Amino acid sequence: MPGTSLDSLLSRFHPDTGAIDGAPTVTRRLSDLGGCFADPSAWTAVLSKGDPIVYTVTAMEPAGDEGDLHYGLGRIMPGCVGAEYFMTKGHFHAWRPAGEFYFGLEGEGLMLLEDGATGESRIVPLRPHHAVYVPGNTAHRTINTGSVPLAYLGVYPARAGHDYAAIATRNFRCVVIEQNGAPTMVQRKDLP
Ligand code: S6P
Ligand code: ZN
C-alpha cells in the first residue's frame, strides 16, 4: 500500500444510475438475452414492441493479483417476459472455487443459486440491508421481482472470471415465475 493513490482505494458508486465513477458499464438489452427466458414466444412478443434495457452492470476491476477483490454494481429493471421476471444471464465463475457476496441496495429481488455438483437449486431474497452469500461452484442469476429497479453490489475474487457458456447451453434447472401474484420457483422440466 505505500504510495498507493487515494483513487485506487476509494470509488464512488451510484445505485440510482448503475454507474461507478471511472468504470465501464455493460448494458444488456432483451435482444442480448436470447435463450435465457423459458418462453421464447413471450420473448419475441416483448421484443416486437421494442428492445428494453433489462440490466446494466458496472465493474470496478483494478488489475488484480491473486488475493485481490473486484466489485460490480448491478441494476435490473422491473419487467416480465411472460410470467418470468427480468433477470441476469447468470454464470458460474470461470475459477470455480470463487465465492461471492451480494449486497442489496435498492428494490426487491431474488438470487437463484444452483449447485454445480448436485444441481440443487435455491432462491434467496436480495433486498436492502441483506447480504447473500454465493458459495464456490454455484451458478447464480439475479432476478428483479419488484416494481422498481433492483440495485446490488457483488464482491468477488479478482480471478473469479465468468463462465456463461456452461449455463447458457442448458440454462438453470429452475425458473422463477409469478404465480398467484408471488414469485415461485419451479423446475424447468415441469413447465407446460
Ligand atoms: C460477477 C457478479 C455480478 C454479475 C452481474 C450481471 O461475478 O456475479 O457482477 O456479473 O450481476 O450478471 P451476469 O450473469 O450477466 O454476469
Ligand atoms: Zn458472479
Side-chain angles (χ1 to χ4, degrees):
M1 199 175 72
T4 306
S5 70
L6 184 61
D7 276 355
S8 64
L9 299 175
L10 180 69
S11 53
R12 182 143 188 243
F13 60 87
H14 307 273
D16 53 331
T17 63
I20 302 174
D21 293 351
T25 296
V26 172
T27 299
R28 302 280 189 212
R29 291 183 177 273
L30 191 60
S31 59
D32 299 318
L33 300 176
C36 291
F37 292 94
D39 182 347
S41 58
W43 180 74
T44 308
V46 179
L47 262 186
S48 70
K49 296 187 211 120
D51 190 8
I53 292 174
V54 176
Y55 66 97
T56 61
V57 58
T58 307
M60 177 53 77
E61 299 188 332
D65 293 330
E66 182 131 322
D68 275 343
L69 296 173
H70 288 165
Y71 83 95
L73 171 62
R75 192 164 186 273
I76 308 176
M77 298 300 128
C80 276
V81 174
E84 207 174 3
Y85 304 93
F86 277 13
M87 62 191 186
T88 61
K89 285 184 169 193
H91 59 272
F92 283 98
H93 292 141
W95 181 50
R96 286 293 195 278
E100 182 165 5
F101 260 112
Y102 273 69
F103 301 93
L105 301 174
E106 289 178 4
E108 188 92 6
L110 294 170
M111 305 267 327
L112 173 62
L113 307 179
E114 183 178 306
D115 187 294
T118 64
E120 184 191 359
S121 300
R122 301 282 297 271
I123 44 174
V124 186
L126 181 64
R127 55 173 79 113
H129 306 286
H130 288 70
V132 177
Y133 178 55
V134 179
N137 194 24
T138 303
H140 44 292
R141 166 173 275 169
T142 315
I143 302 168
N144 185 350
T145 57
S147 53
V148 299
L150 171 68
Y152 57 90
L153 293 180
V155 183
Y156 46 96
R159 65 177 282 201
H162 293 85
D163 177 358
Y164 292 106
I167 206 74
T169 45
R170 61 163 176 79
N171 215 329
F172 284 73
R173 285 179 172 78
C174 287
V175 180
V176 178
I177 54 174
E178 188 175 83
Q179 262 185 357
N180 305 317
T184 309
M185 184 174 79
V186 296
Q187 295 281 329
R188 188 175 301 278
K189 64 179 171 49
D190 294 339
L191 287 173

